[in-house]
Amino acid sequence: MSDVTRILSQIEQGNPAAAEQLLPLVYDELRKLAAARLAQEKPGQTLQATALVHDAYIRLVDVEGEQSWDNRGHFFAAAAESMRRILVESARRKGREKHGGNLDRKELVVDAIALTVPAEELLAIHEALGKLEATNPQAAQLVKMRYFAGFTIPETAEHMGISPRKANQIWTYARAWLATEIADGSSN
């Protein structure tokens, strides 16, 4: 009898400490299973393999009621089914209007240097940047440094005296804000 099968038997008998012993033994295999499953998903999947493993594991061993696995293979089949259900729930959640399911998602690429941008687009960016500066000067400054000077996130963060993580958050917000503003301006 393998260690996993023995521990699964202990879990089935109600030993709460057995679940703690199981995770280190099966974690790598569950992680590979999750990574393979996520590789089949569409690009842009926000769920990480580690999170998928943890959610599936919790569903498998931290459930009220009877748990019965015949062997190691049965456990991994149950883990795969649990991962499938989590992915389905995630897809349904993303499809809801509340989570932007009715929106057409587009990637905004603003990392190019301004000199390669057509004049009319540059003017639209300039006007939108003026509006952003009135409401959020820090975001406007970051956009200027990234877009017009070509600084990287770490370089921009250093020049602005903020953390790279904060700079990345501001950059993400500013790009989305500018995209919305430019799209609204072009439809008028």
Side-chain angles (χ1 to χ4, degrees):
M1 181 182 292
S2 73
D3 288 343
V4 173
T5 306
R6 182 181 47 77
I7 292 171
L8 290 172
S9 176
Q10 290 175 357
I11 291 172
E12 189 177 336
Q13 294 170 6
N15 182 351
E20 293 175 22
Q21 297 171 0
L22 180 64
L23 185 59
L25 294 175
V26 298
Y27 186 81
D28 287 337
E29 289 180 67
L30 287 175
R31 184 95 166 67
K32 288 176 188 171
L33 185 64
R37 186 64 190 103
L38 288 174
Q40 298 171 1
E41 294 293 312
K42 287 168 103 175
Q45 173 63 258
T46 56
L47 193 58
Q48 303 273 329
T50 302
L52 184 57
V53 167
H54 290 206
D55 288 349
Y57 186 77
I58 287 170
R59 287 183 183 200
L60 289 169
V61 297
D62 196 30
V63 176
E64 300 286 329
E66 291 290 316
Q67 299 169 0
S68 176
W69 297 290
D70 297 333
N71 54 34
R72 176 186 186 94
H74 188 210
F75 174 79
F76 283 104
E81 175 64 16
S82 182
M83 288 179 194
R84 183 189 66 80
R85 289 180 185 198
I86 291 166
L87 290 169
V88 167
E89 289 168 9
S90 177
R92 285 183 179 149
R93 186 175 39 257
K94 283 182 182 178
R96 291 188 190 119
E97 187 173 335
K98 177 179 176 181
H99 297 281
N102 61 343
L103 298 177
D104 184 25
R105 298 175 194 268
K106 294 186 180 182
E107 184 68 26
L108 175 65
V109 181
V110 189
D111 288 339
I113 302 296
L115 298 176
T116 63
V117 176
E120 58 275 353
E121 191 174 328
L122 187 59
L123 290 174
I125 292 169
H126 172 71
E127 288 179 27
L129 195 54
K131 291 178 184 177
L132 178 61
E133 194 163 26
T135 60
N136 192 330
Q138 186 180 35
Q141 179 187 2
L142 190 136
V143 169
K144 290 174 190 175
M145 293 176 80
R146 291 273 294 137
Y147 189 76
F148 294 101
F151 286 123
T152 64
I153 289 287
E155 291 169 338
T156 304
E158 184 178 335
H159 290 298
M160 292 180 67
I162 58 177
S163 72
R165 182 176 179 173
K166 180 70 175 174
N168 199 35
Q169 289 172 340
I170 295 169
W171 177 239
T172 301
Y173 162 78
R175 285 181 15 208
W177 191 95
L178 288 170
T180 302
E181 187 65 31
I182 290 169
D184 289 347
S186 67
S187 64
N188 290 338

